[in-house]
Amino acid sequence: MKPHDGLYLDGAWRPASGPAVVDVVNPADEQIIGRVPAATAEDVDTAVRAARAALPGWAVTPPAERAVRLAALRDVLAARKDEIAETVTAELGSPPAFSQAVHAGVPIAVAGSYAELAATYAFEERVGNSLVLHEPAGVVGAITPWNYPLHQIVAKAAPALAAGCTVVLKPAEDTPLVAQLFAEAVHEAGFPAGVFNLVTGLGPVAGQALAGHPDVDLVSFTGSTAVGRRIGATAGGAVKRVALELGGKSANVILPSADLARAVAVGVANVMSNSGQTCSAWTRMLVHSAQYDEAVALAAAAAAKYAERIGPVVSARQRDRVRGYIEKGVAEGARLVAGGPEAPRERGYYVSPTVFADVTPEMAIAQEEIFGPVLSVLRYTDEDDALRIADGTVYGLAGAVWAGDEAEAVAFARRMATGQVDINGGRFNPLAPFGGYKQSGVGRELGAHGLAEYLQTKSLQF
Ligand code: NAD
């Protein structure tokens, strides 16, 4: 798509108030592929005013009509699926097939799920002698990261719009083009002016102005724990609602009765997909000591297969950060069995698919989010030890459990302090609540739970 040189405000593309721009770079070849405006605090204020002005009308639009607009949005996204995939490949670097299936496919499914939920959700309920009204939370400030750029936008905008809220979106600076495409799609779908607004630009300028704007009722943020903590503090100070989807360091627990080869193969694929830039990736593989050497050999062989097909990471900064962690793992005494810190190609921000063995739970590579194609394999002695290691980080976003018997895996999953667990390679479900325990976040996205985040209740007594 052709980049816009304006911001999408109050139903039209309008010039930003200042001259600053953000360059968009293709991480596969390091070429600049576009420029978008860097919004100022003044632009954010214009966007919030537009959203505030549009709120009364949209909030009382019957849910069935909101559903019609969301279904139209889903249809526009579906019609532009190839363009979405090409745009995400260009600005994020993900391989075309993954862009098609996941970066374009998942947001279309999520938009469709909210078209359906808007039409069917019980926005009113009887509780004894009360009528409880589920009303929109108000003006939403949405701040999103670059790793699943359209999915993260749709996972906020679609439920907010379904709830009757109006939205100002500040997407990540590395991936603003698919956000502009989304704004075009909202326009084509016929949403009233001001219901959705887009301000591209920098986190510490536009993002901060949006998070701290007094006329924003709810801030929904996905990104790093460091920034999330600040946004949570700002929102707390203003007594406004906040939803935070933050980092992760998820455990893939392979119990002795599991199909080891399958568990390792799926586990490695999970970490390498999207070049390891998945907040819920199972970056720690936990294996019983009796099976440890076999699992390490399988993981190293599986990772090597990704050397040619893995995409770059998003930016030079991210590449340097990931390589820094690989060097740290070596310095801490972990054993490299695949990949390493060297640049695998001359051009592009590539990192070799990397596997560490002999990782102990206190090492930085076992505790901190690396956000690159790096897997740590840890050993446990018994189930209690496995649980202690699995839960032994500040995070609790996701995880996986493998066992010969599903009930055995479920019993272990029930004990884990984490928001999502895949049992024996269970499939992604766009209707299941997604979000974190502990420092992985506050609140849930997707499905009916994600819709509830954008509602507030009013009780009428009779
Ligand atoms: P980031 O926190 O640097 O940026 C996320 C967004 O916040 C961007 O739009 C950025 O411009 C904005 N931002 C930055 N500083 C800001 C500030 N001071 N005020 C307001 N906004 C600001 O994170 P990132 O590097 O873009 O994304 C990677 C991180 O996101 C990883 O830690 C990853 O785990 C996390 N993540 C979590 C989930 C989840 O659902 N839990 C999903 C995807 C990514």
Side-chain angles (χ1 to χ4, degrees), residues 1 3 24 33-36 87 91 175-182:
M1 69 165 276
V24 187
I33 54 170
R35 284 203 167 88
V36 301
T87 304
E91 60 185 353
T175 53
L177 301 182
V178 78
Q180 290 192 336
L181 195 159
F182 179 75

Side-chain angles (χ1 to χ4, degrees), residues 143-147 152 170-173 203-204 207-208 221-224 227 231 245-247 279 369 371 397 434:
I143 301 174
T144 54
W146 43 262
N147 58 329
Q152 285 142 344
K170 206 304 279 176
E173 35 279 74
Q208 202 159 311
F221 170 83
T222 298
S224 61
V227 176
I231 288 179
E245 297 287 348
L246 307 177
C279 47
E369 183 173 57
F371 230 53
L397 186 58
F434 181 92

Side-chain angles (χ1 to χ4, degrees), residues 190-216:
F191 284 85
V195 165
F196 175 84
N197 306 273
L198 172 69
V199 285
T200 49
L202 304 178
V205 183
Q208 202 159 311
L210 183 59
H213 197 292
D215 217 17
V216 167

